[in-house]
Amino acid sequence: MQLITGLGFVLIIIGIWGMLTRKNMVKIVLGFSLVDTGIHIIMVSIGYIKGKTAPILNEAVNKAKALQEVVDPVPSVLVLTAIVIGLAVTALMLVYVVRLHKEKNSMQIDDHGELEW
Amino acid sequence: MGKRIFVIITLALFVYISLPLVLDFIPTQQLSYVSQKYVQDGPEEVGAQNLVTAIIVTYRGLDTLGEVAVLFIATAGIGFILSRKKWRKRKKRSSSSILQTGTQVLLPLIIMFGIYVFTNGHLTPGGGFQGGVIIASGILVYILASPKNKFKDFLISLTESISGFGYVLLGLLGLILAAGFLDNSILPLGKFGRLFSAGAIPLIYSLIGLKVGSELVNILKYLRRD
């Protein structure tokens, strides 16, 4: 699983790079979304245990031996929560972009300098 | 130019501080202490096949309530930002007949699948959040197919309020009738692995599904009003 962790890390780096260098506001939101996804991948890979299966105790998993057969359910829970929050926050940011675009008819972040300090 | 150097330095520092996390990462060999407790006692205490659901709805139910609240606040913020001024009305074209006919076939199926996903959240991979998103995607197809139709605002807000209120009410019932807030044993646990089992979990997850679905439909509604 180290490969997956590394890939998630690379995704986070790409996202931060995108947020810092791009001028188009939609691309900045995309960068944020990439960071979000990278963190989810890392969290899931932390919970994964090699050769074990999903924490659902149906016919495939023996209830008595569940401790030896399932992966860690807690990171999955955290990621499920984080995905929904990420969706809401991304939607909110895109709506900010729509609003700013309506205001000045420009997608470039340099044209919206009123709050710069 | 100075900005670019600043960006490179920031990225390099970030890589430097978090590279050890990746390089020295030891894959998990066994469940952590908390997870061991959840996996061992979950089936008897909660009665849900899907342990992720057991943790989300019962053990960490308060977090889920907070999460739904965050979703609600984000939706309210979107409505606030988009509805302050009257925008210039854009002309809406009607969609093609292929999309319209396809929607008539697909819309009931998509909504039925969404309901299936959130009522079976305690047995199979799935649950309220996923089911709600599936329902909202069905509504999106409907919006694309008939852009001129208006929503019944009252119906959406009614679903949203009743599901949110019912969720908190079930939690408070757990406080009175059982061990604590959002305890699922206010209803009998039933036979392990059946649809009507795991106490109040199917009920709570259905309410979460309706809440998330109506919340996302609200977002779509606000975004269309341009």
Side-chain angles (χ1 to χ4, degrees), chain B residues 44-48 57-59 170-171 173-190 197-202 204:
Chain B
E44 275 73 37
E45 277 179 5
V46 180
V57 179
T58 303
Y59 288 121
L170 277 175
L173 272 180
L175 208 57
I176 298 165
L177 299 176
F181 191 65
L182 284 170
D183 194 333
N184 71 329
S185 52
I186 50 176
L187 296 173
L189 285 187
S197 67
I201 283 186
I204 294 175

PDB file of all heavy atoms in Angstrom, chain B residues 44-48 57-59 170-171 173-190 197-202 204:
ATOM      1  N   GLU B  44     -23.149  -7.552  17.890  1.00  0.00           N
ATOM      2  CA  GLU B  44     -24.095  -7.845  18.971  1.00  0.00           C
ATOM      3  C   GLU B  44     -24.779  -6.574  19.474  1.00  0.00           C
ATOM      4  O   GLU B  44     -25.978  -6.558  19.716  1.00  0.00           O
ATOM      5  CB  GLU B  44     -23.382  -8.530  20.143  1.00  0.00           C
ATOM      6  CG  GLU B  44     -23.255 -10.040  19.997  1.00  0.00           C
ATOM      7  CD  GLU B  44     -22.218 -10.402  18.956  1.00  0.00           C
ATOM      8  OE1 GLU B  44     -21.198  -9.683  18.901  1.00  0.00           O
ATOM      9  OE2 GLU B  44     -22.420 -11.375  18.204  1.00  0.00           O
ATOM     10  N   GLU B  45     -23.992  -5.508  19.630  1.00  0.00           N
ATOM     11  CA  GLU B  45     -24.559  -4.298  20.231  1.00  0.00           C
ATOM     12  C   GLU B  45     -25.493  -3.561  19.283  1.00  0.00           C
ATOM     13  O   GLU B  45     -26.555  -3.077  19.686  1.00  0.00           O
ATOM     14  CB  GLU B  45     -23.420  -3.346  20.631  1.00  0.00           C
ATOM     15  CG  GLU B  45     -22.794  -3.683  21.972  1.00  0.00           C
ATOM     16  CD  GLU B  45     -21.675  -2.734  22.314  1.00  0.00           C
ATOM     17  OE1 GLU B  45     -21.446  -1.767  21.566  1.00  0.00           O
ATOM     18  OE2 GLU B  45     -21.022  -2.970  23.326  1.00  0.00           O
ATOM     19  N   VAL B  46     -25.079  -3.454  18.016  1.00  0.00           N
ATOM     20  CA  VAL B  46     -25.832  -2.633  17.069  1.00  0.00           C
ATOM     21  C   VAL B  46     -26.680  -3.490  16.143  1.00  0.00           C
ATOM     22  O   VAL B  46     -27.782  -3.123  15.769  1.00  0.00           O
ATOM     23  CB  VAL B  46     -24.861  -1.739  16.261  1.00  0.00           C
ATOM     24  CG1 VAL B  46     -25.617  -0.890  15.283  1.00  0.00           C
ATOM     25  CG2 VAL B  46     -24.060  -0.861  17.193  1.00  0.00           C
ATOM     26  N   GLY B  47     -26.149  -4.664  15.745  1.00  0.00           N
ATOM     27  CA  GLY B  47     -26.912  -5.565  14.894  1.00  0.00           C
ATOM     28  C   GLY B  47     -26.861  -5.228  13.420  1.00  0.00           C
ATOM     29  O   GLY B  47     -27.675  -5.726  12.652  1.00  0.00           O
ATOM     30  N   ALA B  48     -25.906  -4.369  13.004  1.00  0.00           N
ATOM     31  CA  ALA B  48     -25.807  -4.023  11.591  1.00  0.00           C
ATOM     32  C   ALA B  48     -24.722  -4.856  10.929  1.00  0.00           C
ATOM     33  O   ALA B  48     -23.647  -5.048  11.500  1.00  0.00           O
ATOM     34  CB  ALA B  48     -25.495  -2.540  11.437  1.00  0.00           C
ATOM     35  N   VAL B  57     -23.681   5.699  12.086  1.00  0.00           N
ATOM     36  CA  VAL B  57     -25.017   6.079  12.557  1.00  0.00           C
ATOM     37  C   VAL B  57     -25.128   5.967  14.071  1.00  0.00           C
ATOM     38  O   VAL B  57     -25.832   6.755  14.695  1.00  0.00           O
ATOM     39  CB  VAL B  57     -26.088   5.220  11.852  1.00  0.00           C
ATOM     40  CG1 VAL B  57     -27.468   5.589  12.336  1.00  0.00           C
ATOM     41  CG2 VAL B  57     -26.006   5.415  10.374  1.00  0.00           C
ATOM     42  N   THR B  58     -24.438   4.990  14.670  1.00  0.00           N
ATOM     43  CA  THR B  58     -24.656   4.777  16.097  1.00  0.00           C
ATOM     44  C   THR B  58     -23.473   5.218  16.953  1.00  0.00           C
ATOM     45  O   THR B  58     -23.603   6.108  17.781  1.00  0.00           O
ATOM     46  CB  THR B  58     -24.968   3.301  16.353  1.00  0.00           C
ATOM     47  OG1 THR B  58     -26.102   2.968  15.577  1.00  0.00           O
ATOM     48  CG2 THR B  58     -25.282   3.074  17.808  1.00  0.00           C
ATOM     49  N   TYR B  59     -22.300   4.591  16.731  1.00  0.00           N
ATOM     50  CA  TYR B  59     -21.180   4.914  17.622  1.00  0.00           C
ATOM     51  C   TYR B  59     -20.762   6.374  17.496  1.00  0.00           C
ATOM     52  O   TYR B  59     -20.508   7.046  18.488  1.00  0.00           O
ATOM     53  CB  TYR B  59     -19.978   4.013  17.322  1.00  0.00           C
ATOM     54  CG  TYR B  59     -20.153   2.587  17.762  1.00  0.00           C
ATOM     55  CD1 TYR B  59     -20.088   1.554  16.858  1.00  0.00           C
ATOM     56  CD2 TYR B  59     -20.386   2.283  19.095  1.00  0.00           C
ATOM     57  CE1 TYR B  59     -20.236   0.245  17.257  1.00  0.00           C
ATOM     58  CE2 TYR B  59     -20.544   0.986  19.501  1.00  0.00           C
ATOM     59  CZ  TYR B  59     -20.469  -0.033  18.582  1.00  0.00           C
ATOM     60  OH  TYR B  59     -20.625  -1.317  18.979  1.00  0.00           O
ATOM     61  N   LEU B 170     -35.353  11.278  16.689  1.00  0.00           N
ATOM     62  CA  LEU B 170     -34.963   9.882  16.955  1.00  0.00           C
ATOM     63  C   LEU B 170     -33.779   9.839  17.915  1.00  0.00           C
ATOM     64  O   LEU B 170     -33.714   8.979  18.794  1.00  0.00           O
ATOM     65  CB  LEU B 170     -34.596   9.181  15.653  1.00  0.00           C
ATOM     66  CG  LEU B 170     -35.750   8.631  14.836  1.00  0.00           C
ATOM     67  CD1 LEU B 170     -35.235   8.081  13.524  1.00  0.00           C
ATOM     68  CD2 LEU B 170     -36.456   7.536  15.605  1.00  0.00           C
ATOM     69  N   GLY B 171     -32.845  10.799  17.734  1.00  0.00           N
ATOM     70  CA  GLY B 171     -31.722  10.866  18.660  1.00  0.00           C
ATOM     71  C   GLY B 171     -32.179  11.130  20.080  1.00  0.00           C
ATOM     72  O   GLY B 171     -31.731  10.477  21.033  1.00  0.00           O
ATOM     73  N   LEU B 173     -35.134  10.463  21.310  1.00  0.00           N
ATOM     74  CA  LEU B 173     -35.826   9.270  21.791  1.00  0.00           C
ATOM     75  C   LEU B 173     -34.836   8.276  22.364  1.00  0.00           C
ATOM     76  O   LEU B 173     -35.108   7.630  23.383  1.00  0.00           O
ATOM     77  CB  LEU B 173     -36.605   8.618  20.648  1.00  0.00           C
ATOM     78  CG  LEU B 173     -38.025   9.115  20.403  1.00  0.00           C
ATOM     79  CD1 LEU B 173     -38.622   8.356  19.244  1.00  0.00           C
ATOM     80  CD2 LEU B 173     -38.855   8.917  21.652  1.00  0.00           C
ATOM     81  N   GLY B 174     -33.679   8.142  21.688  1.00  0.00           N
ATOM     82  CA  GLY B 174     -32.632   7.265  22.205  1.00  0.00           C
ATOM     83  C   GLY B 174     -32.174   7.697  23.590  1.00  0.00           C
ATOM     84  O   GLY B 174     -31.880   6.874  24.451  1.00  0.00           O
ATOM     85  N   LEU B 175     -32.145   9.023  23.793  1.00  0.00           N
ATOM     86  CA  LEU B 175     -31.734   9.549  25.098  1.00  0.00           C
ATOM     87  C   LEU B 175     -32.725   9.145  26.181  1.00  0.00           C
ATOM     88  O   LEU B 175     -32.348   8.864  27.323  1.00  0.00           O
ATOM     89  CB  LEU B 175     -31.653  11.071  25.007  1.00  0.00           C
ATOM     90  CG  LEU B 175     -30.697  11.808  25.927  1.00  0.00           C
ATOM     91  CD1 LEU B 175     -29.305  11.292  25.739  1.00  0.00           C
ATOM     92  CD2 LEU B 175     -30.748  13.290  25.634  1.00  0.00           C
ATOM     93  N   ILE B 176     -34.035   9.104  25.821  1.00  0.00           N
ATOM     94  CA  ILE B 176     -35.063   8.812  26.824  1.00  0.00           C
ATOM     95  C   ILE B 176     -35.245   7.308  27.003  1.00  0.00           C
ATOM     96  O   ILE B 176     -35.252   6.787  28.123  1.00  0.00           O
ATOM     97  CB  ILE B 176     -36.400   9.461  26.405  1.00  0.00           C
ATOM     98  CG1 ILE B 176     -36.236  10.988  26.337  1.00  0.00           C
ATOM     99  CG2 ILE B 176     -37.505   9.115  27.387  1.00  0.00           C
ATOM    100  CD1 ILE B 176     -37.349  11.673  25.594  1.00  0.00           C
ATOM    101  N   LEU B 177     -35.375   6.568  25.869  1.00  0.00           N
ATOM    102  CA  LEU B 177     -35.753   5.157  25.956  1.00  0.00           C
ATOM    103  C   LEU B 177     -34.565   4.219  26.090  1.00  0.00           C
ATOM    104  O   LEU B 177     -34.702   3.113  26.580  1.00  0.00           O
ATOM    105  CB  LEU B 177     -36.558   4.756  24.704  1.00  0.00           C
ATOM    106  CG  LEU B 177     -37.869   5.511  24.492  1.00  0.00           C
ATOM    107  CD1 LEU B 177     -38.497   5.092  23.182  1.00  0.00           C
ATOM    108  CD2 LEU B 177     -38.836   5.228  25.631  1.00  0.00           C
ATOM    109  N   ALA B 178     -33.384   4.644  25.611  1.00  0.00           N
ATOM    110  CA  ALA B 178     -32.242   3.723  25.603  1.00  0.00           C
ATOM    111  C   ALA B 178     -31.048   4.398  26.263  1.00  0.00           C
ATOM    112  O   ALA B 178     -31.208   5.315  27.051  1.00  0.00           O
ATOM    113  CB  ALA B 178     -31.935   3.302  24.170  1.00  0.00           C
ATOM    114  N   ALA B 179     -29.851   3.949  25.889  1.00  0.00           N
ATOM    115  CA  ALA B 179     -28.670   4.346  26.668  1.00  0.00           C
ATOM    116  C   ALA B 179     -28.199   5.767  26.405  1.00  0.00           C
ATOM    117  O   ALA B 179     -27.624   6.386  27.284  1.00  0.00           O
ATOM    118  CB  ALA B 179     -27.531   3.378  26.380  1.00  0.00           C
ATOM    119  N   GLY B 180     -28.418   6.301  25.198  1.00  0.00           N
ATOM    120  CA  GLY B 180     -27.860   7.617  24.948  1.00  0.00           C
ATOM    121  C   GLY B 180     -28.365   8.211  23.657  1.00  0.00           C
ATOM    122  O   GLY B 180     -29.197   7.624  22.959  1.00  0.00           O
ATOM    123  N   PHE B 181     -27.821   9.404  23.318  1.00  0.00           N
ATOM    124  CA  PHE B 181     -28.250  10.116  22.114  1.00  0.00           C
ATOM    125  C   PHE B 181     -27.965   9.268  20.880  1.00  0.00           C
ATOM    126  O   PHE B 181     -26.873   8.748  20.712  1.00  0.00           O
ATOM    127  CB  PHE B 181     -27.519  11.453  22.036  1.00  0.00           C
ATOM    128  CG  PHE B 181     -28.057  12.383  20.993  1.00  0.00           C
ATOM    129  CD1 PHE B 181     -29.332  12.901  21.100  1.00  0.00           C
ATOM    130  CD2 PHE B 181     -27.284  12.738  19.913  1.00  0.00           C
ATOM    131  CE1 PHE B 181     -29.829  13.761  20.140  1.00  0.00           C
ATOM    132  CE2 PHE B 181     -27.770  13.601  18.949  1.00  0.00           C
ATOM    133  CZ  PHE B 181     -29.051  14.114  19.064  1.00  0.00           C
ATOM    134  N   LEU B 182     -28.975   9.113  20.012  1.00  0.00           N
ATOM    135  CA  LEU B 182     -28.892   8.345  18.765  1.00  0.00           C
ATOM    136  C   LEU B 182     -28.629   6.861  19.001  1.00  0.00           C
ATOM    137  O   LEU B 182     -28.106   6.182  18.124  1.00  0.00           O
ATOM    138  CB  LEU B 182     -27.833   8.912  17.822  1.00  0.00           C
ATOM    139  CG  LEU B 182     -28.235  10.189  17.085  1.00  0.00           C
ATOM    140  CD1 LEU B 182     -27.040  10.780  16.384  1.00  0.00           C
ATOM    141  CD2 LEU B 182     -29.316   9.893  16.082  1.00  0.00           C
ATOM    142  N   ASP B 183     -28.964   6.347  20.178  1.00  0.00           N
ATOM    143  CA  ASP B 183     -28.869   4.900  20.393  1.00  0.00           C
ATOM    144  C   ASP B 183     -29.915   4.207  19.520  1.00  0.00           C
ATOM    145  O   ASP B 183     -31.066   4.635  19.469  1.00  0.00           O
ATOM    146  CB  ASP B 183     -29.126   4.598  21.871  1.00  0.00           C
ATOM    147  CG  ASP B 183     -28.717   3.185  22.221  1.00  0.00           C
ATOM    148  OD1 ASP B 183     -28.737   2.331  21.318  1.00  0.00           O
ATOM    149  OD2 ASP B 183     -28.370   2.949  23.386  1.00  0.00           O
ATOM    150  N   ASN B 184     -29.487   3.134  18.820  1.00  0.00           N
ATOM    151  CA  ASN B 184     -30.419   2.532  17.871  1.00  0.00           C
ATOM    152  C   ASN B 184     -31.313   1.482  18.502  1.00  0.00           C
ATOM    153  O   ASN B 184     -32.189   0.937  17.848  1.00  0.00           O
ATOM    154  CB  ASN B 184     -29.663   1.916  16.696  1.00  0.00           C
ATOM    155  CG  ASN B 184     -28.919   0.684  17.104  1.00  0.00           C
ATOM    156  OD1 ASN B 184     -28.490   0.579  18.242  1.00  0.00           O
ATOM    157  ND2 ASN B 184     -28.760  -0.232  16.196  1.00  0.00           N
ATOM    158  N   SER B 185     -31.127   1.150  19.791  1.00  0.00           N
ATOM    159  CA  SER B 185     -31.909   0.057  20.367  1.00  0.00           C
ATOM    160  C   SER B 185     -33.261   0.523  20.890  1.00  0.00           C
ATOM    161  O   SER B 185     -33.856  -0.137  21.722  1.00  0.00           O
ATOM    162  CB  SER B 185     -31.109  -0.616  21.478  1.00  0.00           C
ATOM    163  OG  SER B 185     -30.647   0.341  22.390  1.00  0.00           O
ATOM    164  N   ILE B 186     -33.768   1.670  20.398  1.00  0.00           N
ATOM    165  CA  ILE B 186     -35.134   2.047  20.755  1.00  0.00           C
ATOM    166  C   ILE B 186     -36.130   1.138  20.061  1.00  0.00           C
ATOM    167  O   ILE B 186     -37.252   0.976  20.509  1.00  0.00           O
ATOM    168  CB  ILE B 186     -35.424   3.516  20.398  1.00  0.00           C
ATOM    169  CG1 ILE B 186     -35.026   3.809  18.957  1.00  0.00           C
ATOM    170  CG2 ILE B 186     -34.692   4.454  21.332  1.00  0.00           C
ATOM    171  CD1 ILE B 186     -35.380   5.208  18.510  1.00  0.00           C
ATOM    172  N   LEU B 187     -35.719   0.518  18.944  1.00  0.00           N
ATOM    173  CA  LEU B 187     -36.529  -0.506  18.281  1.00  0.00           C
ATOM    174  C   LEU B 187     -35.822  -1.836  18.485  1.00  0.00           C
ATOM    175  O   LEU B 187     -34.620  -1.871  18.713  1.00  0.00           O
ATOM    176  CB  LEU B 187     -36.649  -0.200  16.777  1.00  0.00           C
ATOM    177  CG  LEU B 187     -37.389   1.089  16.421  1.00  0.00           C
ATOM    178  CD1 LEU B 187     -37.287   1.348  14.932  1.00  0.00           C
ATOM    179  CD2 LEU B 187     -38.838   0.996  16.827  1.00  0.00           C
ATOM    180  N   PRO B 188     -36.582  -2.973  18.441  1.00  0.00           N
ATOM    181  CA  PRO B 188     -35.902  -4.265  18.617  1.00  0.00           C
ATOM    182  C   PRO B 188     -34.860  -4.516  17.539  1.00  0.00           C
ATOM    183  O   PRO B 188     -35.032  -4.121  16.387  1.00  0.00           O
ATOM    184  CB  PRO B 188     -37.058  -5.265  18.510  1.00  0.00           C
ATOM    185  CG  PRO B 188     -38.195  -4.518  17.937  1.00  0.00           C
ATOM    186  CD  PRO B 188     -38.023  -3.098  18.328  1.00  0.00           C
ATOM    187  N   LEU B 189     -33.738  -5.154  17.932  1.00  0.00           N
ATOM    188  CA  LEU B 189     -32.622  -5.330  17.001  1.00  0.00           C
ATOM    189  C   LEU B 189     -32.954  -6.269  15.854  1.00  0.00           C
ATOM    190  O   LEU B 189     -32.396  -6.163  14.775  1.00  0.00           O
ATOM    191  CB  LEU B 189     -31.386  -5.851  17.752  1.00  0.00           C
ATOM    192  CG  LEU B 189     -30.647  -4.823  18.601  1.00  0.00           C
ATOM    193  CD1 LEU B 189     -29.372  -5.417  19.140  1.00  0.00           C
ATOM    194  CD2 LEU B 189     -30.332  -3.571  17.815  1.00  0.00           C
ATOM    195  N   GLY B 190     -33.859  -7.221  16.076  1.00  0.00           N
ATOM    196  CA  GLY B 190     -34.270  -8.102  14.987  1.00  0.00           C
ATOM    197  C   GLY B 190     -33.221  -9.134  14.641  1.00  0.00           C
ATOM    198  O   GLY B 190     -32.188  -9.261  15.297  1.00  0.00           O
ATOM    199  N   SER B 197     -33.775  -4.886  10.607  1.00  0.00           N
ATOM    200  CA  SER B 197     -32.946  -5.285  11.744  1.00  0.00           C
ATOM    201  C   SER B 197     -32.155  -4.059  12.169  1.00  0.00           C
ATOM    202  O   SER B 197     -32.371  -2.960  11.650  1.00  0.00           O
ATOM    203  CB  SER B 197     -32.015  -6.435  11.361  1.00  0.00           C
ATOM    204  OG  SER B 197     -31.072  -5.996  10.425  1.00  0.00           O
ATOM    205  N   ALA B 198     -31.259  -4.248  13.125  1.00  0.00           N
ATOM    206  CA  ALA B 198     -30.378  -3.173  13.588  1.00  0.00           C
ATOM    207  C   ALA B 198     -31.147  -1.996  14.168  1.00  0.00           C
ATOM    208  O   ALA B 198     -30.709  -0.854  14.078  1.00  0.00           O
ATOM    209  CB  ALA B 198     -29.473  -2.680  12.453  1.00  0.00           C
ATOM    210  N   GLY B 199     -32.308  -2.252  14.765  1.00  0.00           N
ATOM    211  CA  GLY B 199     -33.013  -1.206  15.491  1.00  0.00           C
ATOM    212  C   GLY B 199     -33.415  -0.048  14.606  1.00  0.00           C
ATOM    213  O   GLY B 199     -34.034  -0.229  13.559  1.00  0.00           O
ATOM    214  N   ALA B 200     -33.019   1.166  15.025  1.00  0.00           N
ATOM    215  CA  ALA B 200     -33.471   2.366  14.328  1.00  0.00           C
ATOM    216  C   ALA B 200     -32.560   2.754  13.179  1.00  0.00           C
ATOM    217  O   ALA B 200     -32.786   3.778  12.549  1.00  0.00           O
ATOM    218  CB  ALA B 200     -33.575   3.517  15.322  1.00  0.00           C
ATOM    219  N   ILE B 201     -31.519   1.951  12.884  1.00  0.00           N
ATOM    220  CA  ILE B 201     -30.551   2.383  11.860  1.00  0.00           C
ATOM    221  C   ILE B 201     -31.194   2.601  10.488  1.00  0.00           C
ATOM    222  O   ILE B 201     -30.971   3.634   9.869  1.00  0.00           O
ATOM    223  CB  ILE B 201     -29.367   1.397  11.784  1.00  0.00           C
ATOM    224  CG1 ILE B 201     -28.438   1.643  12.957  1.00  0.00           C
ATOM    225  CG2 ILE B 201     -28.594   1.579  10.498  1.00  0.00           C
ATOM    226  CD1 ILE B 201     -27.186   0.833  12.915  1.00  0.00           C
ATOM    227  N   PRO B 202     -32.041   1.651   9.969  1.00  0.00           N
ATOM    228  CA  PRO B 202     -32.637   1.914   8.654  1.00  0.00           C
ATOM    229  C   PRO B 202     -33.465   3.190   8.637  1.00  0.00           C
ATOM    230  O   PRO B 202     -33.431   3.958   7.671  1.00  0.00           O
ATOM    231  CB  PRO B 202     -33.521   0.690   8.408  1.00  0.00           C
ATOM    232  CG  PRO B 202     -33.012  -0.342   9.298  1.00  0.00           C
ATOM    233  CD  PRO B 202     -32.461   0.351  10.487  1.00  0.00           C
ATOM    234  N   ILE B 204     -33.082   5.905  10.665  1.00  0.00           N
ATOM    235  CA  ILE B 204     -32.212   7.083  10.744  1.00  0.00           C
ATOM    236  C   ILE B 204     -31.522   7.320   9.405  1.00  0.00           C
ATOM    237  O   ILE B 204     -31.459   8.446   8.904  1.00  0.00           O
ATOM    238  CB  ILE B 204     -31.167   6.898  11.866  1.00  0.00           C
ATOM    239  CG1 ILE B 204     -31.848   6.870  13.234  1.00  0.00           C
ATOM    240  CG2 ILE B 204     -30.151   8.014  11.843  1.00  0.00           C
ATOM    241  CD1 ILE B 204     -30.902   6.574  14.364  1.00  0.00           C
TER     242      ILE B 204
END
